[in-house]
Amino acid sequence: MKKVSILIVLAFWGLNLFAQTPGASSGVWSNPGIMITIALILIPMVIAVYLVAVKVNNMVKKIREVKIRREAKYLAKSIQQLSIAEVHEELTKRKLAVDYKLSNTELAGEAQPEDKKGLLHNIAEVNSPRFIASKKRAVKRPDIDPKLTKLILWYLGTATLWLVVGTSVGEYLGIKFVSPDVDHISWLSFGRLRPVHTNMVFWGWSSLAMIGLGYYVVSTVSNTVVASLKLGWIALGLINGSVVLGSLSLMAGINNGGGEYREYIWPIMLLFAIGVIITLINYLQTIARRKTKEIYISNWYIIAATMFTIVIALVGYLPFWQNGLGESIAQGYYMHQGVGMWFMLFNLGLIYYFLPQQLNTPIYSYSLGILAFWTQILFYTLIGTHHFIFSAIPWWLQTVAIIGSMGMLIPVFAGTTNFLMTFKGNFNKIGSSYTLPFYLVGIIFYFTGSTQGTAEAFRSANLYWHFTDFTVAHSHLTMYGIIAFMLWASIYTLVPRLTGREPKQSLVGAHFWMALIGLLFYTIPLMIGGTLKGLAWQEGKPFIDSVVLMAPYWLWRAIGGSLMWASHLIFAYNLYSMIANREEIDLKKTVFEELNKLPVNSAV
Amino acid sequence: MEIYNNHKRLFVAALALFLALTMFAAILPGFNIQNDNAPLPKSKPLSTEEMQGKAIFISEGCIACHTQQVRNVEMDKMWGSRPSIAADYARLTRTDVWRNTASLMGSERTGPDLTSIGSRQPSKDWHLLHLYNPRSVVSQSIMPSYQWLFEEKEYAYPGDVVLNVPDEFRKGVQGKIVASQDALHLVAYLQSLKQTDLPDGKPVPIFLYPKGPVKEEPAGTTSQLNTELDGAALYAVNCQSCHQANGEGLKGAFPSLKGSPVVLDKDPKVQVTIIMEGYNGRVSEGYGLMPPIGTTNNLKPEEIVAIINHERSSWGNNSRKVSITEIKELFNQIKTPVIAKK
């Protein structure tokens, strides 16, 4: 039902779009960047429709079952009314019919099959050939150290706190677009709260969750224990402290200079950086003690992300190249490397571990992983300046950034292929798992969100979209669609293993659907509105027209944002129930306990 | 491969590649543009008050919605007379030991670009009212109100800047609404934002992607079409923020054009003069100073005609429409003394 209404709403938007831009829009639709984006928007929609179809199918099955039961009851009743002789006769007849067998020689005769003329080739010896040999499986994993469990749960718990607080702030900001006079308090004004929201979900939610999950992955794939839990606790405190102080100082009006994600002043960001440095040391020492010969691919990504982030923070905060436009070049580099090298690389590392684990199959291809890893470093590092296309920054540097953005298609395609091929043959598991839909959505948005980024970097597409709300939609498609969904996937996979407690599946479902539908309600109107805004600017209309034009789209954004926000409350409750719920009684375990209590067994 | 079994080699290789690319894409270009750059000869540094205003601009996070860059594309023409160049940013240095350089180029235009707001909207009275509540001057605006930059006082002291806020935006404030030093500094900063002229002889960078195919007009024909510009749109861009869409202005702040003797005067001389040179004749009544908006926005005679005729024929005004030749003549009379004065 929900889906149908979405489709209707979308169709309506589509009509609107044509209605408002007669003639003038023909140029937009033939723009390659926009065509790519529309295709990209459709992909997650199609997936969502597919998932709904699966659900509906299940419902239909259930209804059919009820019908069958009813018929069975009726049949049983009618059989009871027959006499024994009648039943006997019927059954004997039926048995003869059922037992009848063909001799298998009715058509072919008695001759043996033979390929006398050599017509048969390439006979498959195995049913499904594997592209790459299966890798070693770890011997049964020892139980997880309860002390490590506690550390990881604290990382995830504080991360979730920041998710809830940070998106509450975001939700409030969304409301301010619709109702700008909702308050007149300096600490809550739009300009001050916006960086509070972005930094809180970046450094508080995503970073803490990643590092916490990283402690499990880094040590597990190294088949060893974490080098120092104490360092883990110190980093946890530092990063949380940085987010608390940073948020308060931003609300008080202390801002580093307005560069996005660089709003915390350096003494506060330094706490975060030290936290990351400590984490790096801890991870590296853990990997150095590994009991496996090779370093699993997850650890390349995680260590690279952590090393690079330290470099990125230094480039962003050291003062030596920041005068004049140098600040903007550093800003472009900093903000995009922060997103692509810290969040994206780290999350890919997590997915390379958790996805095969959850599917119970090895990753499809190591080679594609190698390709994606090196090309990501090669191309991603160059693309920062694509945030300043047509600005006063040197033209050649803008061109390098655009080329780098196109090069990014290689790691994105390689990564997506790798994940989807790992999924291949296991798609049937999605319906019976509450974690796999999160992985699937994360992977789909990895593809669409990243490719959209490439499309936006084209000069021709940039004309329409730069400075509009399209950018906001893009950053939510990626930071939320990719990063948050991948983190939730990993959390729902890992925490039950750590605590032995599972969340209520219906609530996980509610979380998933509200977050996904909310995200679509949030991003699609902003993309449509952003495009119309860009068109209005190009036509040279008075600026205020573009503000008036956005009003309905901002309203939709607030509605989608509310759904997303509510889903986070559910997620927080789910996490709580995974940590603190009473353990559910397990039948098998109880049977064995009861058996042990029997006098026969207890005597032995 | 061996590299994937040796963590030192693997991670050092990855880091080295990343560092090399970082040097190429960020640090070296940053160094270059920082050192190989100088302010334009005609530019001047911000005054102390303007610097303080910029600090308010930064701490209030105005950059979240306002850019300060004119891109070299046609659609950005409305924000400046030429594309921004690196030299425009050459005076920027680190704010202080705690805070980084603020180039404030921005990444989103939920509000207008501010590169040349000082020329586009030079009126201090307008800026103060707009900061107190943006909707008091632009009804559809969604900008936050910055009421904490203003004080309520029972009596205004000499030297206090008192705002004439329309009643519906006073929200129960009985006393005088007085601009704080922070508000005055912020407005001073906004007024200082202007594009500096390039040195004589230096080629002006062009705007890319001009609108549609450039139509070559056959030589010798005077195009009637070109002179008939959209007066309503030009009025919206240049005049509406003070005099409002309904032409009635704001009581006590910006005079009404509806029924105004200046607008209804058959002779457009006074009207053109006010647009081009500004006006202070009604300051004593509490009205703000009219800035020479036609001069600061570089309005052409054709545009002035369109605006004047829009004003003369809207909101119940019904006065004689003026012709382009008439205005061009007046224009020449006015323009010469303006330059001569300065």
Side-chain angles (χ1 to χ4, degrees), chain B residues 27-55:
Chain B
I27 295 182
L28 291 179
F31 258 125
N32 266 341
I33 207 159
Q34 166 182 291
N35 299 330
D36 188 14
N37 198 10
L40 291 170
K42 290 179 193 167
S43 80
K44 45 181 202 289
L46 294 180
S47 70
T48 319
E49 288 80 32
E50 289 160 358
M51 282 300 273
Q52 285 166 332
K54 185 179 179 183

Side-chain angles (χ1 to χ4, degrees), chain A residues 303-321:
Chain A
I303 293 296
T306 320
M307 289 190 309
F308 295 173
T309 304
I310 295 162
V311 175
I312 294 160
L314 289 176
V315 173
Y317 275 87
L318 288 178
F320 313 115
W321 41 77

